[in-house]
């Protein structure tokens, strides 16, 4: 990972959950890091996420939809980790235009900015497993049909498509990672806009009952944020990854009910099964877990932090930083 020492690195969404963890790791590796983030309150940006590295990074509060700002910011950078995004699936259904503007149009203008002023930049884009939709088979590999069940999935697909196209046609060296549920310190717990697990952790810490939608048998895989960061760095560091798409995932597959049970065992607490809200049921993907053998084979990545350890670290962090992540009103 020595290629990042003294490198100039831009992280869009850098004050968010994954972006800030990536920034911390890169600062440790000796990189010169700039964080571009809009800090729009509905999204995951939170200055607490970077409190410990604030003096060692450059912060630019700006919007990736501002193409002039982006053109200025990509100039002279060696790497761009493109993580800014609207992450809420429900919001993408109630306000589809904003999702389109951030997750698709802005991605295209970021790539255009690179093409115009910095065609030698190396890019990694954070995509999502959501774009597969309801799986035909499990585990889901990269060859699985793409059938998004919500507007967010369609726009993230466009976002990754632009990166691959610009790599292929314009030589803007890009890689795409399709992230699965990612969790850890710094995740949004105020509401369920990022993942349901965030709100569960908050409910656990508040001593209220965790609400599991449906019968709780839906299967999922989870990555601890440090493992996700490791994958982003490996993708950026490998020429073999240029123009490629990789699934992230975990072999530790768990039902939502078992996950809720695990959380209550780790910290004490209760959970209950409640009916699926109709707007969530309509975009639910059922069981999902990834086949991540491609990234394991080609980039040597596999997750290192088990679910128990990751959840303990997350609960500890959120528990001792709660006033920075929600206002005290019960969920
Ligand atoms: N966390 C997960 O489980 C998960 C799963 C799949 C994909 N992803 C993708 O990974 C990326 C990072 O996600 P995260 O979990 O860290 O979420 P996050 O919400 O914490 O981070 C996204 C950041 O982007 C910023 N942002 C949003 N719109 C912006 C705009 N218009 N201009 C500038 N900044 C803007 C937000 O303020 C936030 O800090 C996203 O692109 C997301 O789609 C995350």
């Amino acid at each position: 990972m020595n290629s990042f020492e003294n490198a100039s690195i831009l992280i869009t969404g850098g004050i968010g959950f994954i972006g800030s963890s990536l920034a911390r790791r890169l600062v440790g590796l000796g990189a010169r890091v700039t964080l571009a983030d809009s800090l729009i309150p509905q999204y995951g940006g939170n200055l607490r996420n970077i409190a410990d590295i604030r003096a060692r990074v450059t912060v630019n509060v700006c919007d990736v939809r501002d193409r002039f700002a982006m053109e200025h910011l990509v100039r002279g950078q060696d790497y761009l980790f493109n993580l800014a995004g609207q992450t809420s699936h429900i919001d993408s259904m109630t306000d589809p235009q904003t999702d389109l503007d951030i997750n698709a149009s802005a991605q295209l203008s970021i790539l255009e900015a690179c093409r115009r002023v910095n065609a030698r930049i190396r890019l990694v884009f954070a995509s999502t497993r959501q774009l597969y939709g309801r799986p035909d088979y499990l585990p889901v590999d990269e060859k699985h049909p793409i059938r998004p069940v919500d507007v967010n999935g369609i726009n993230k697909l466009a976002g990754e498509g632009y990166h691959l196209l610009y790599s292929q046609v314009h030589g803007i060296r890009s890689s795409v990672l399709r992230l699965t549920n990612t969790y850890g310190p710094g995740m949004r717990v105020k509401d369920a806009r990022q993942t349901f697990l965030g709100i569960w952790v908050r409910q656990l810490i508040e001593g209220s009952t965790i609400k599991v939608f449906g019968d709780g048998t839906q299967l999922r895989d989870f990555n601890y944020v440090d493992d996700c960061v490791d994958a982003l760095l490996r993708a950026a560091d490998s020429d073999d990854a240029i123009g490629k798409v990789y699934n992230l995932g975990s072999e530790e597959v768990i039902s939502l009910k078992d996950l809720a049970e695990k959380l209550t065992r780790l910290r004490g607490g209760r959970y209950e099964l409640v009916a699926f809200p109709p707007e969530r049921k309509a975009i639910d993907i059922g069981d999902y877990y990834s086949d991540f053998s491609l990234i394991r084979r080609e980039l040597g990545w596999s997750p290192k932090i088990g679910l128990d350890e990751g959840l303990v670290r997350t609960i500890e962090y959120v528990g001792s930083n709660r006033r920075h992540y929600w206002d005290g009103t019960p969920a």
Side-chain angles (χ1 to χ4, degrees), residues 35-110:
L35 310 178
D37 201 300
S38 60
L39 287 177
I40 294 169
Q42 288 82 358
Y43 305 152
N46 186 327
L47 285 168
R48 181 65 179 180
N49 289 344
I50 57 161
D52 57 331
I53 52 167
R54 180 63 192 88
R56 300 168 71 194
V57 294
T58 303
V59 170
N60 196 308
V61 177
C62 68
D63 199 299
V64 292
R65 288 169 287 187
D66 178 347
R67 60 195 178 94
F68 299 106
M70 291 317 295
E71 191 162 305
H72 169 72
L73 283 167
V74 300
R75 211 179 275 274
Q77 302 288 352
D78 299 308
Y79 296 89
L80 166 56
F81 291 92
N82 199 5
L83 270 58
Q86 192 303 105
T87 62
S88 163
H89 300 284
I90 290 286
D91 287 1
S92 82
M93 301 305 285
T94 54
D95 180 8
Q97 188 64 47
T98 299
D99 194 89
L100 174 72
D101 293 345
I102 297 174
N103 288 332
S105 300
Q107 305 308 316
L108 184 58
S109 59
I110 289 170

Side-chain angles (χ1 to χ4, degrees), residues 275-297:
F276 244 114
E279 71 280 11
R280 288 197 179 272
K281 184 72 196 161
I283 60 171
D284 183 54
I285 58 167
D287 293 343
Y288 178 92
Y289 50 95
S290 291
D291 178 335
F292 60 92
S293 50
L294 187 64
I295 189 166
R296 178 158 52 195
R297 203 168 52 245

Side-chain angles (χ1 to χ4, degrees), residues 132-147 178 247 285 287-291:
Y132 292 116
R134 296 184 185 96
D136 286 346
Y137 58 84
L138 292 164
V140 173
D141 58 17
E142 292 84 353
K143 295 193 176 78
H144 187 282
I146 304 284
R147 261 185 330 247
R178 291 185 183 149
N247 280 349
I285 58 167
D287 293 343
Y288 178 92
Y289 50 95
S290 291
D291 178 335

Side-chain angles (χ1 to χ4, degrees), residues 12-20 36-40 43-46 49 62-65 82-87 102-103 106 125-130 152 156 177-183 186-188 194-195:
T12 66
I15 311 178
F17 162 45
I18 300 170
S20 59
D37 201 300
S38 60
L39 287 177
I40 294 169
Y43 305 152
N46 186 327
N49 289 344
C62 68
D63 199 299
V64 292
R65 288 169 287 187
N82 199 5
L83 270 58
Q86 192 303 105
T87 62
I102 297 174
N103 288 332
F125 177 67
S127 185
T128 172
R129 57 108 169 108
Q130 185 73 4
N152 180 263
K156 290 293 281 190
L177 299 184
R178 291 185 183 149
L179 277 48
T180 191
N181 297 283
T182 308
Y183 72 99
M187 71 194 296
R188 185 176 174 97
Q194 205 170 67
T195 80

Side-chain angles (χ1 to χ4, degrees), residues 245-322:
V245 175
Y246 296 101
N247 280 349
L248 301 191
S250 168
E251 270 160 0
E252 225 179 332
V253 175
I254 187 167
S255 75
L256 298 191
K257 188 161 164 284
D258 288 349
L259 178 64
E261 218 157 74
K262 189 186 275 296
L263 281 168
T264 56
R265 220 178 28 250
L266 289 172
R267 162 94 186 191
R270 328 177 276 289
Y271 73 91
E272 62 177 346
L273 302 178
V274 298
F276 244 114
E279 71 280 11
R280 288 197 179 272
K281 184 72 196 161
I283 60 171
D284 183 54
I285 58 167
D287 293 343
Y288 178 92
Y289 50 95
S290 291
D291 178 335
F292 60 92
S293 50
L294 187 64
I295 189 166
R296 178 158 52 195
R297 203 168 52 245
E298 294 196 355
L299 305 185
W301 179 86
S302 60
K304 299 282 178 293
I305 309 290
L307 199 48
D308 279 58
E309 185 184 347
L311 289 174
V312 167
R313 289 192 200 177
T314 307
I315 293 166
E316 268 174 26
Y317 178 85
V318 178
S320 51
N321 287 276
R322 54 188 289 174

Side-chain angles (χ1 to χ4, degrees), residues 105-122:
S105 300
Q107 305 308 316
L108 184 58
S109 59
I110 289 170
L111 286 156
E112 267 298 283
C114 293
R115 186 168 74 88
R116 275 196 303 271
V117 303
N118 186 1
R120 49 164 289 283
I121 198 168
R122 180 73 172 87

